[in-house]
Amino acid sequence: MKQKIRTILALLVLSVSVLGLTACGNVPEETEITYDEDFLHSVADFLIANFEDMPEEVMAEYAAGDEEEIQQFLDSLGLPFTAEAFTTALAGYQGSAEELGPYVSTDGYEAPEVKGDEITLVTNLTYENRSAQLTIVFQAEDEKSVAQSVTLDPKYSIGEILQKAGMNTILGMGTVFAVLIFISLVIYCFNFIPGNQAPKQEEKPAPKPRPARKPAARPAANANTNLVDDKELVAAITAAICAYTGTSSDGFVVRSIRRAESSTWKRA
């Protein structure tokens, strides 16, 4: 039994060792990029010299030229630039030339930074108006370093940065308020466009309530007035007398009906 356990443990150790060796064999070896630092510096110096000596007309022609033709031109001269990097560098300097002023000196190169197959070189420059940094990104290809991108960044003081930020804020807010005021004026002007709004109906005053009509008072009958012509009144009185006396209306004839004085009824 112990012999079997030892055999199993030995096989496990052997298997782990084999797997470890296989894993180590699959790890790719990192290749270290080698570069000539003096060559990188010379490329930066070449660009700086062209910035200063190249006429503005020629620089503008290169910046707006066909990339294929420029690439053929660079390859024929053996210059380690892509057409895009070269034209971008010239266009960037054109945009900052007035702000930088004439070239004064090169203040040194920072240590190249290697990341993957890219090498970044930063050069510190001094111009008459302000300092700047020239950043060139190279790509290592077949033991050669070709510039893939070039940027020229002027340096600004904290006061200049805050001033620019304040101006941008004022311009942005001013533009927003100007547009809002313009929209408000346009909406207000719609009131003066004929037919834009439905005509307002004139408000008519509410009719005053009419006073209730009082029933016309019946004219008071004169005491001497004979009411025998009032057929209804005669019939009512005749019926009342017949009911009171228990006689028929055939036994008497109404000749005259007159209103009695009120004092007579009071005495009754």
Side-chain angles (χ1 to χ4, degrees):
M1 186 67 179
K2 291 183 179 180
Q3 186 67 25
K4 289 183 179 180
I5 293 174
R6 289 178 182 176
T7 303
I8 293 172
L9 289 176
L11 290 173
L12 288 175
V13 171
L14 181 61
S15 300
V16 171
S17 300
V18 172
L19 291 174
L21 291 175
T22 305
C24 292
N26 291 334
V27 175
E29 295 182 1
E30 295 183 0
T31 57
E32 184 179 356
I33 297 176
T34 58
Y35 58 88
D36 186 355
E37 191 168 348
D38 293 334
F39 172 75
L40 303 182
H41 295 173
S42 65
V43 173
D45 293 338
F46 170 78
L47 273 179
I48 297 168
N50 276 276
F51 290 160
E52 187 65 20
D53 299 334
M54 185 178 293
E56 293 183 3
E57 297 80 7
V58 178
M59 191 178 295
E61 184 178 352
Y62 274 117
D66 183 58
E67 289 190 0
E68 292 186 3
E69 295 180 359
I70 294 174
Q71 189 64 60
Q72 292 177 0
F73 171 74
L74 295 173
D75 294 340
S76 63
L77 296 178
L79 298 176
F81 293 95
T82 61
E84 183 180 0
F86 189 72
T87 55
T88 303
L90 297 180
Y93 177 77
Q94 267 192 313
S96 306
E98 184 176 355
E99 188 177 15
L100 294 172
Y103 170 77
V104 176
S105 63
T106 299
D107 299 335
Y109 309 93
E110 297 183 7
E113 181 182 350
V114 180
K115 187 177 180 180
D117 58 348
E118 293 182 346
I119 307 167
T120 303
L121 175 67
V122 178
T123 307
N124 297 313
L125 305 173
T126 299
Y127 288 87
E128 186 174 330
N129 297 336
R130 66 182 69 253
S131 58
Q133 280 188 335
L134 177 66
T135 304
I136 307 175
V137 179
F138 297 89
Q139 186 172 12
E141 296 179 358
D142 298 333
E143 299 182 359
K144 292 183 180 180
S145 299
V146 180
Q148 300 291 324
S149 66
V150 180
T151 55
L152 182 64
D153 300 319
K155 291 184 178 180
Y156 301 97
S157 63
I158 297 178
E160 290 174 331
I161 294 173
L162 293 177
Q163 183 179 3
K164 284 191 173 184
M167 289 298 297
N168 291 336
T169 303
I170 292 173
L171 288 175
M173 294 181 65
T175 302
V176 172
F177 280 108
V179 172
L180 291 177
I181 292 171
F182 175 74
I183 293 174
S184 300
L185 290 175
V186 171
I187 294 174
Y188 176 73
C189 290
F190 285 164
N191 296 326
F192 302 99
I193 299 176
N196 183 53
Q197 296 180 350
K200 296 183 179 179
Q201 296 181 354
E202 296 183 359
E203 296 182 357
K204 296 181 179 180
K208 295 181 179 180
R210 295 181 179 179
R213 293 183 179 180
K214 296 181 179 180
R218 297 181 68 179
N222 193 359
N224 297 322
T225 303
N226 189 0
L227 302 177
V228 72
D229 294 332
D230 192 346
K231 303 297 183 181
E232 295 180 357
L233 180 60
V234 171
I237 292 174
T238 302
I241 293 172
C242 293
Y244 179 75
T245 59
T247 61
S248 174
S249 60
D250 296 336
F252 61 89
V253 178
V254 178
R255 300 291 184 183
S256 175
I257 298 176
R258 298 181 185 278
R259 182 180 295 275
E261 295 180 1
S262 59
S263 57
T264 304
W265 288 100
K266 290 178 181 179
R267 291 195 301 267

